[in-house]
């Protein structure tokens, strides 16, 4: 792995959802539409309990999605700590 790729992996974040808490409000997609789509019922798609890598350029939007979630169902962690 090149140093550039290694650095990118180290600095990336992971977004995950707690499906037991998610109520399908769709606020996360409004904040992070680049990575989250909604299904027919308003639940996020593209995010799993195992997580989705978020590039550094979208970390601020991901933090907004996490802080805006009315059910506190989203979690953003560093990839090396996920």
């Amino acid at each position: 792995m090149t140093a550039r790729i290694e650095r990118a992996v180290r600095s990336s974040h992971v977004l995950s959802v707690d499906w037991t808490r998610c109520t399908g409000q769709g606020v996360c997609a409004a904040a992070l539409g680049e990575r989250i789509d909604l299904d027919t019922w308003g639940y996020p798609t593209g995010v799993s309990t195992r997580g989705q890598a978020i590039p550094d350029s979208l970390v601020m939007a991901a933090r907004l999605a996490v802080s805006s979630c009315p059910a506190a169902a989203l979690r953003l962690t560093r990839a090396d700590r996920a």
Side-chain angles (χ1 to χ4, degrees):
M1 192 180 303
T2 68
R4 185 180 204 184
I5 294 172
E6 199 172 310
R7 188 170 45 251
V9 169
R10 240 192 338 259
S11 66
S12 66
H13 291 72
V14 175
L15 183 68
S16 57
V17 63
D18 179 347
W19 292 108
T20 62
R21 299 188 84 152
C22 183
T23 57
Q25 300 289 319
V27 178
C28 55
L32 190 58
E34 297 88 349
R35 287 287 194 257
I36 300 173
D37 293 317
L38 300 177
D39 67 12
T40 305
W41 301 277
Y43 288 90
T45 60
V47 183
S48 68
T49 52
R50 297 188 71 190
Q52 175 190 35
I54 301 296
D56 288 341
S57 61
L58 294 177
V59 169
M60 292 303 291
R63 286 182 179 148
L64 178 61
V66 170
S67 66
S68 300
C69 180
L74 293 176
R75 181 176 176 208
L76 184 68
T77 56
R78 299 261 322 171
D80 55 357
R81 296 182 189 150

